[in-house]
Every structure is written in structure tokens, then in C-alpha cells.
Amino acid sequence: MRKLLLALPIAALVALPVAADAQMTAGPTLAWHDDADFGVGVTVGGDADFLTEGAGWLGDFIWFFPPGDGVTYFEINAHATFDFATSSTSVFPFLLAGPHLARTSVDGGGSSTKLGMNVGAGIDFNADRFRPSVGARFEIGGGKGF
């Protein structure tokens, strides 16, 4: 029940994707982790074209719902991104890499915090004010998740 009550306000974000301005986006995240199952959260991102064309950043907080009673798991991620130029104005492939913090705890038991790195890729779809994205990332050096 506690997990459901926590999930409701986060899931409400799914109905409220926001384009904060032309250079920053924020919106809901739906995730799946091979060890922790389904997750919901929020992602923010933006351009860093002052570094080089196509450079950007992406950060997220994701709360997962792993199997088993009393188990909690969440992740905080911060990534540098690079968008590849394409002839399309609505599809943008990208690469990402950055630090990853994962926290697992068990009611009445111990907890574990791991720091590692993520590497991954994805595609942004530009649909005016709504910009869905799909991607995959692998944890290295601190986790073994996908």
C-alpha cells in the first residue's frame, strides 16, 4: 500500500509533460530495470551547445518497484549527451554517459548504496511541445543493470 501511495503523485506527472523553455525540458519517466522491474520518475534535460553543437545534459530520479515485500530501490542519474545531426527535424538519435547512484534498502534489514557509470543511447522524437524519448543504458562500475 505504501508503494501505491508513493506511486500516485509520481504517476500523475505522466499526464503533465512540460517544455520549460526552448533549451530545457522536464517530464515524467517510465522505466524498466532488469533487476528492479518497473519504475516511475522525472527527467530534466537541456542543451549545452556552448561546448559543441549537439552537446547536452540529462538528469533523472527514478523510483522502482522491485519484487519482494519491504524492498525499496531508487536511482539518481546525471548524463552528458550528444545528439547526432540528421536530415529529420523530428527524430534525434543521441548517446549518453554519466554517473549513476543506486540505493537499495530492505525493511528490517540492511541497505546498500552504489555509485557507478551509465552508458547508453536513445532517440528523441520532437512533436512540438511534447518530446517523447526512448533509450537504453547499461550500468558499469557499480552495478550490472540494464
Side-chain angles (χ1 to χ4, degrees), residues 39-116:
V40 294
V42 63
T43 299
V44 295
D47 295 332
D49 286 335
F50 62 91
L51 295 173
T52 187
E53 189 174 341
W57 59 274
L58 187 68
D60 60 48
F61 173 84
I62 305 172
W63 187 273
F64 286 91
F65 302 93
D69 289 334
V71 178
T72 59
Y73 178 77
F74 69 84
E75 294 181 357
I76 300 171
N77 300 287
H79 301 112
T81 63
F82 183 79
D83 295 337
F84 291 97
T86 65
S87 60
S88 172
T89 59
S90 60
V91 177
F92 304 94
F94 66 89
L95 295 176
L96 65 80
H100 161 87
L101 180 117
R103 173 96 174 149
T104 305
S105 61
V106 179
D107 288 348
S111 63
S112 170
T113 303
K114 292 184 180 180
L115 183 62

